[in-house]
């Protein structure tokens, strides 16, 4: 139907740069604008409700310059639902929600008109965003809204379970251990990163009690919120107000909120609102005109086209300011072009304080875009102000993600140390480190998002149950804790999955006829698995409280000492020194500045090892239990099996 041979040329004549797409309110009127340069007609449809046959009226829109269609209603449109109908070739008509809609009705079919101010909870304007000066100061905790509180063990009231509101309630417990918000506070993380909370497609919001689940990587409306997380998905304001309550509660406790954004593909491709508004513009196409599939989800969006780039930037600015967000995590960021990624960074830097920004430096399939133009991890220096998930440190610590039997440093791999050392040094160049160049890709430690567990793939504990099954439970717990020490104390920004700190598992019931073994009883891709697999069972925190206390101690140590949060490559080279232990796999290093001297030793062996401390007196700042022991020691010391120890130098009284 529509053929554009050169999009850059097309954009030169047709792209619109006004900041008024969508619905704009004035005192006595409401103005609607939408961009569709090849449409032969566009109509605004007004409805009483979010679904069903309750049309109020259809109003034709007028074509202004640069493909923008406009209509003015001579009143302040409030509590009304709306859609657009785009007409092409004077015959084909597509009705769809406005891609710029800020609120929507049930299941995101129609936009909703309201003054967003009305959705602010009491005290909203007075609750500031917490200050985070550098990504290196952040400790990010990845949570799925439903997983967090759907299990009765969370202790939240029935009406809060699985909803935004569970994040805003204090005082919940399982027996004597904290859960939900109190748990976040006790753990000491600085940011919560929520799996998608924008309006996604695959959970039917009209059936809140039906057994359904999704991570939410199936975007429907980027500027609207998911209805199934609200107390009433039919009330367009409920989800907005309750999400703001979540943010406000976390902000009051000094915790920032990071939104997971999935601009890289649309869920419905041909039937998506973008395709209906302007076919064959917002997605990338193959040479034969078919949709390319760099996301692995049926299509990929075209961030290099002016109006999709603008959409992304407008959307992020809206979300950041309306919801006072503290950062964004970009799904399959490798599909976005570098120029767009840097423009977004510029915009997010203008906000005060600047927002965190990081993403996945890979794609889900092959893209027709030239690979040197895309925000792939191997182009990292071209967007050095944006963080990237560090799959090098991840796989070095726990073993290859895609082979469950593959072992890592913590589970006995003796060849992971060179990649691991790179990761410990913030993935930046360090004068002592050579080789493993693929693991030395960051412009500064702030670019390295260090992790060993996320929503994708096995949890660390499940991975260990497979690749280290011949070890005792106690030994596997030690491996888990050693893994935690490695990535939490590494230079960069640590990222933890909800429940990782108390040995989260994703149990699975093997299908009929399937063999029952260590691989089939756990779930490595639980995106639509039931609550029984995905939910947090808070009794596991009660049972594994020693592991939780260890994570807590690591986070505290990191946050209390700037030597674990070095900002630049130069700082890392100056303050971090690796010792020669006579065994490359036995890693020990010193972090030192004018105020402090710390020695960090990692023993991956199942036997204890000796370590010769440098001259001077030290004490154990963090032992394998996460405890401190102020008794002065020096010289030859013992490092327990499969563990990390941090020593702190005792300064002379005179100093
Ligand atoms: Ca939805």
């Amino acid at each position: 139907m529509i053929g554009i041979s050169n999009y850059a040329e097309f954009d030169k004549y047709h792209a619109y740069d006004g900041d008024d797409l969508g619905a704009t309110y004035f005192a006595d009127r409401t103005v609607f604008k939408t961009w569709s340069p090849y449409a032969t007609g566009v109509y605004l449809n007004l409805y009483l409700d979010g679904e069903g046959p309750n049309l109020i009226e259809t109003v034709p829109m007028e074509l202004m310059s640069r493909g923008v269609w406009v209509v003015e209603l001579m009143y302040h449109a409030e509590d009304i639902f709306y859609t657009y109908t785009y007409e092409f070739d004077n015959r084909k008509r597509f009705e769809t929600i406005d891609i710029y809609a800020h609120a929507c009705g049930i299941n995101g079919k129609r936009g909703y008109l309201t003054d967003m101010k009305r959705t602010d909870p009491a005290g909203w304007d007075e609750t500031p965003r917490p200050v985070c000066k550098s990504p290196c100061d952040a400790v990010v905790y990845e949570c799925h809204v439903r997983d967090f509180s759907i299990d009765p063990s969370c202790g939240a009231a029935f009406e809060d379970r699985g909803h935004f509101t569970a994040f805003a309630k204090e005082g919940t417990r399982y027996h004597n251990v904290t859960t939900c918000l109190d748990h976040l506070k006790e753990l000491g993380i600085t940011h919560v990163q929520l799996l998608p909370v924008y309006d996604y497609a695959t959970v039917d919001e009209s059936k809140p009690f039906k057994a359904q689940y999704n991570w939410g990587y199936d975007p429907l409306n980027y500027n609207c919120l998911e209805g199934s997380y609200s107390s009433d998905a039919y009330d367009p304001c409920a989800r907005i107000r309750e999400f703001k309550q979540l943010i406000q509660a976390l902000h009051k406790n000094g915790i920032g909120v990071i939104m997971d954004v999935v601009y890289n593909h649309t869920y419905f491709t041909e039937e998506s609102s973008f395709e209906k508004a302007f076919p064959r513009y917002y997605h990338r196409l193959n040479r034969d005109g078919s949709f390319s599939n760099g996301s692995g989800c049926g299509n990929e969006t075209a961030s290099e086209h002016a109006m999709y780039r603008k959409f992304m930037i407008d959307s992020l600015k809206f979300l950041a300011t309306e919801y006072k967000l503290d950062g964004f995590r970009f799904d399959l960021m490798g599909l976005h072009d570098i120029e767009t990624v840097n423009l977004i960074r510029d915009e997010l830097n203008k906000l005060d304080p600047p927002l965190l920004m990081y993403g996945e430096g890979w794609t889900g399939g092959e893209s027709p875009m030239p690979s040197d133009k895309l925000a792939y991890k191997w182009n990292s220096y071209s967007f050095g102000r944006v963080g990237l998930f560090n799959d090098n440190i991840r796989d070095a610590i726990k073993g290859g993600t895609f082979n469950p039997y593959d072992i890592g440093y913590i589970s006995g791999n003796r060849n992971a140390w060179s990649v691991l050392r790179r990761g410990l040094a913030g993935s930046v160049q360090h004068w002592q480190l050579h080789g493993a160049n693929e693991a030395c890709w960051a412009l500064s430690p702030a670019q390295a998002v260090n992790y060993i567990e996320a929503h994708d793939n096995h949890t660390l504990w499940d991975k260990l149950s497979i690749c280290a099954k011949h070890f005792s439970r106690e030994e596997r717990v030690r491996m888990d804790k050693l893994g935690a020490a490695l990535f939490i104390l590494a230079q960069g920004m640590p990222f933890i999955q909800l429940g990782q700190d108390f040995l989260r598992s994703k149990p699975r019931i093997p299908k009929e006829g399937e063999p029952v073994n260590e691989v089939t009883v756990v779930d490595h891709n639980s995106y639509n698995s039931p609550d029984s697999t995905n939910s947090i069972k808070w009794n596991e925190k009660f049972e594994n409280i020693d592991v939780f206390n260890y994570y807590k101690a690591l986070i505290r140590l990191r946050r209390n000492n700037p030597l674990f949060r070095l900002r630049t490559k130069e700082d890392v080279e100056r303050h971090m020194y690796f010792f020669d232990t006579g065994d490359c796999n036995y890693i020990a290093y010193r972090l030192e500045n004018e105020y402090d001297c710390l020695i960090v030793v990692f023993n991956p062996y199942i036997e204890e090892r000796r370590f010769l401390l440098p001259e001077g007196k030290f004490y154990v700042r963090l032992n394998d239990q996460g405890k401190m022991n102020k008794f002065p020691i020096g010289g030859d010391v013992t490092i327990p099996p499969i563990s990390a120890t941090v020593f702190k130098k005792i300064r002379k009284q005179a100093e």
Side-chain angles (χ1 to χ4, degrees), residues 390 392-397 409 413-441 445 448 450 486-487 489-492 572-573 576-591 600-605 611:
N390 191 349
N392 305 107
I393 199 172
R394 178 193 72 190
D395 290 359
I397 293 175
Y409 182 80
N413 185 340
R414 303 288 174 251
N415 299 309
W417 58 268
S418 57
V419 173
L420 179 56
R421 282 174 188 236
R422 289 287 195 190
L424 291 167
S427 302
V428 295
Q429 286 176 35
H430 187 287
W431 62 277
Q432 284 184 298
L433 303 181
H434 308 283
N437 291 330
E438 76 282 6
C440 172
W441 49 265
N450 297 324
L486 285 160
F487 86 93
L489 299 184
Q491 302 298 335
V572 173
E573 293 210 285
M576 187 173 193
Y577 175 82
F578 287 89
F579 294 110
D580 179 2
T581 60
D583 169 4
C584 296
N585 202 47
Y586 184 34
I587 300 175
Y589 57 85
R590 181 185 69 212
L591 294 166
V600 185
V601 188
F602 298 110
N603 176 12
Y605 299 104
F611 180 75

Side-chain angles (χ1 to χ4, degrees), residues 199-200 205 226:
D199 181 28
Y200 57 81
E205 299 174 2
E226 169 56 21

Side-chain angles (χ1 to χ4, degrees), residues 107-108 199-203 205 220 225-228 239:
N107 283 324
D199 181 28
Y200 57 81
T202 51
V203 166
E205 299 174 2
L220 189 58
L225 298 173
E226 169 56 21
S228 63
R239 59 184 81 174

Side-chain angles (χ1 to χ4, degrees), residues 369-603:
M369 271 287 276
S371 59
D372 62 334
K373 296 265 189 296
L374 292 173
Y376 280 119
K377 184 158 148 269
W378 62 71
N379 297 326
S380 55
Y381 291 167
S382 305
F383 49 101
R385 301 169 297 160
V386 179
L388 286 163
F389 282 94
N390 191 349
D391 50 342
N392 305 107
I393 199 172
R394 178 193 72 190
D395 290 359
I397 293 175
K398 72 170 181 179
T401 297
F402 302 105
N403 173 2
Y405 291 99
D406 198 36
I407 54 172
Y409 182 80
I410 56 172
S411 38
N413 185 340
R414 303 288 174 251
N415 299 309
W417 58 268
S418 57
V419 173
L420 179 56
R421 282 174 188 236
R422 289 287 195 190
L424 291 167
S427 302
V428 295
Q429 286 176 35
H430 187 287
W431 62 277
Q432 284 184 298
L433 303 181
H434 308 283
N437 291 330
E438 76 282 6
C440 172
W441 49 265
L443 201 63
S444 78
Q447 202 175 6
V449 179
N450 297 324
Y451 74 118
I452 50 175
E453 177 177 329
H455 63 273
D456 275 320
N457 312 120
H458 289 109
T459 70
L460 175 62
W461 186 239
D462 287 344
K463 165 103 178 156
L464 287 168
S465 74
I466 300 169
C467 75
K469 64 174 174 173
H470 300 301
F471 290 88
S472 69
R473 187 181 193 281
E474 197 221 321
E475 282 166 331
R476 279 183 283 122
V477 169
R478 298 187 78 87
M479 291 173 187
D480 189 290
K481 288 162 68 176
L482 173 59
L486 285 160
F487 86 93
I488 292 175
L489 299 184
Q491 302 298 335
M493 182 182 92
F495 172 102
I496 307 165
Q497 185 182 212
L498 167 62
Q500 180 186 338
D501 45 307
F502 46 89
L503 308 182
R504 180 177 184 175
S505 173
K506 290 186 181 175
R508 175 181 181 272
I509 298 167
K511 294 202 180 84
E512 231 179 85
E514 239 183 326
V516 179
N517 59 40
E518 65 276 6
V519 173
T520 60
V521 299
V522 290
D523 200 338
H524 69 97
N525 183 15
S526 64
Y527 77 97
N528 66 354
S529 301
D531 289 332
S532 55
T533 295
N534 280 304
S535 68
I536 292 300
K537 290 86 178 169
W538 290 93
N539 53 298
E540 290 176 0
K541 181 180 174 188
F542 179 78
E543 286 146 22
N544 302 308
I545 195 72
D546 56 325
V547 178
F548 169 79
N549 284 330
Y550 185 71
Y551 272 76
K552 187 171 122 181
L554 285 170
I555 293 169
R556 199 146 299 182
L557 173 61
R558 180 185 175 85
R559 292 188 64 185
N560 281 341
N561 202 309
L563 282 169
F564 292 109
R565 298 180 274 114
L566 300 173
R567 299 288 202 261
T568 64
K569 167 192 166 302
E570 291 71 26
D571 284 348
V572 173
E573 293 210 285
R574 194 177 311 129
H575 299 299
M576 187 173 193
Y577 175 82
F578 287 89
F579 294 110
D580 179 2
T581 60
D583 169 4
C584 296
N585 202 47
Y586 184 34
I587 300 175
Y589 57 85
R590 181 185 69 212
L591 294 166
E592 187 171 26
N593 60 16
E594 53 186 309
Y595 311 106
D596 222 345
C597 174
L598 298 162
I599 310 287
V600 185
V601 188
F602 298 110
N603 176 12

Side-chain angles (χ1 to χ4, degrees), residues 561 563 590-593 595-599 613-621 630 632-633 646-652 655:
N561 202 309
L563 282 169
R590 181 185 69 212
L591 294 166
E592 187 171 26
N593 60 16
Y595 311 106
D596 222 345
C597 174
L598 298 162
I599 310 287
L613 284 167
E615 209 168 294
K617 284 287 167 208
F618 291 82
Y619 69 90
V620 174
R621 177 63 186 80
K630 284 238 171 183
I633 48 171
V646 179
F647 301 93
K648 190 174 157 88
K649 194 169 189 175
I650 300 170
R651 315 298 277 198
K652 287 187 203 122
E655 282 178 18

